[in-house]
Amino acid sequence: MIKNDFILLNGLNVSQNYKVVGGEEIMINGVIEDEIDIVAQNIPLEIIYEDDDILVLNKPSNLVVHPGSGNTNGTLLNGLIHFNKNLEKLPRGGIVHRLDKDTTGLMVVAKNEESQNNLINQLQSKTVYREYRAIVWGQIWQNKVINKPIGRHPRQRTKMAVTKVNGKSAETSFEVLERFNYHTYVRCLLKTGRTHQIRVHMLDNNSPIVGDKDYGLKKIIPTKKMGDDLLNAIKIFDRQALHAISLGLVHPKTKKEMKWTIDLPEDMKELLSSIRKDSIENDFGPTDHFLQQDFELNDDDLTFDDEK
């Protein structure tokens, strides 16, 4: 907006690097974008639970949740409105939280305004139970709670980063379920729900999620001990290995505690099978500082303590 002269300082156009000293008058000339018309589309939905107030679904990979720039059709919202025409009367079609395009798993959708407001309040008060499963690079040897703020990446604005500059509090805990030669299978719990939270926190932990194009490994540099079958399985896995496996909340109408748990998707099952097979056939035990020695992270450091 600054580059397009929509923001004026004391009535003048200034560069985005201009430093304010205090007492200036800032004028913002807002631009109201045309509202996107949501078209009902017959998109297959796997409904796990439904009553008069909420529905819970299993979101597949390669599905954007809400229309936006570059994604006006073929989204979850388009499918929800086709599934239930009454949802178009609600803000965002009753959607109260999101999963990334290539993250699979459980989501809850409100079917009326009262339920939507109630679910939003539960999310804001951090009482909704959200459990994920992830396959990450490296050997993790202890459970951990990551409590580091997450905000917009200062240079790559489509990404998020661990940052003290503009970050908001973010807490992810993870538990080791299985450890392999090159990977660890973990259970993640969200305390907060920042954009890309688990993906950013796992990268910050030097254990990025397998297949993550934005917060993962720039390229695979296998040691000589990595089997060809495992290498091929990793190369064809084309999304982040992250799945929302369990969801718990208080029903907005009945006030009863409810919880749903689903299975892993087939692609993650197959990847785990390949990883387990390789670890059995080529077991070489623990490796100290494994990730840092054998793999190359993205060029962009996604942790920022201050502006540089």
Side-chain angles (χ1 to χ4, degrees), residues 136-277:
V136 302
W137 284 101
Q139 294 179 329
I140 299 177
W141 289 90
Q142 61 182 4
N143 303 334
K144 190 174 183 180
V145 176
I146 302 175
N147 196 339
K148 294 186 178 182
I150 292 177
R152 188 67 60 182
H153 191 294
R155 294 190 297 274
Q156 296 176 286
R157 305 305 291 174
T158 59
K159 291 186 178 182
M160 308 300 288
V162 169
T163 173
K164 296 179 181 178
V165 178
N166 61 355
K168 296 182 180 180
S169 62
E171 181 177 320
T172 305
S173 61
F174 66 82
E175 173 189 353
V176 175
L177 298 178
E178 291 183 78
R179 185 168 45 248
F180 309 102
N181 288 345
Y182 302 92
H183 305 90
T184 306
Y185 180 41
V186 294
R187 168 179 177 260
C188 299
L189 294 177
L190 284 182
K191 182 73 172 180
T192 53
R194 306 303 175 199
T195 301
H196 302 169
Q197 178 172 318
I198 295 177
R199 300 165 66 191
V200 172
H201 273 169
M202 296 313 290
L203 174 60
D204 183 78
N205 190 60
N206 272 344
S207 53
I209 297 174
V210 172
D212 197 325
K213 300 177 181 65
D214 293 321
Y215 305 102
L217 295 171
K218 181 179 180 181
K219 56 184 177 180
I220 300 171
I221 309 176
T223 68
K224 295 179 181 179
K225 295 182 180 179
M226 180 180 281
D228 290 339
D229 290 343
L230 175 57
L231 179 58
N232 291 332
I234 292 169
K235 284 183 176 180
I236 65 174
F237 196 86
D238 61 352
R239 69 175 184 93
Q240 61 263 16
L242 182 63
H243 177 65
I245 199 167
S246 188
L247 176 69
L249 51 84
V250 175
H251 192 281
K253 186 71 172 290
T254 66
K255 307 305 179 187
K256 292 182 179 179
E257 293 185 359
M258 304 187 75
K259 186 177 180 181
W260 301 269
T261 300
I262 56 176
D263 204 356
L264 282 178
E266 288 301 317
D267 60 348
M268 285 184 66
K269 286 183 180 180
E270 292 173 3
L271 180 59
L272 271 177
S273 178
S274 296
I275 292 172
R276 290 183 179 122
K277 182 174 181 290

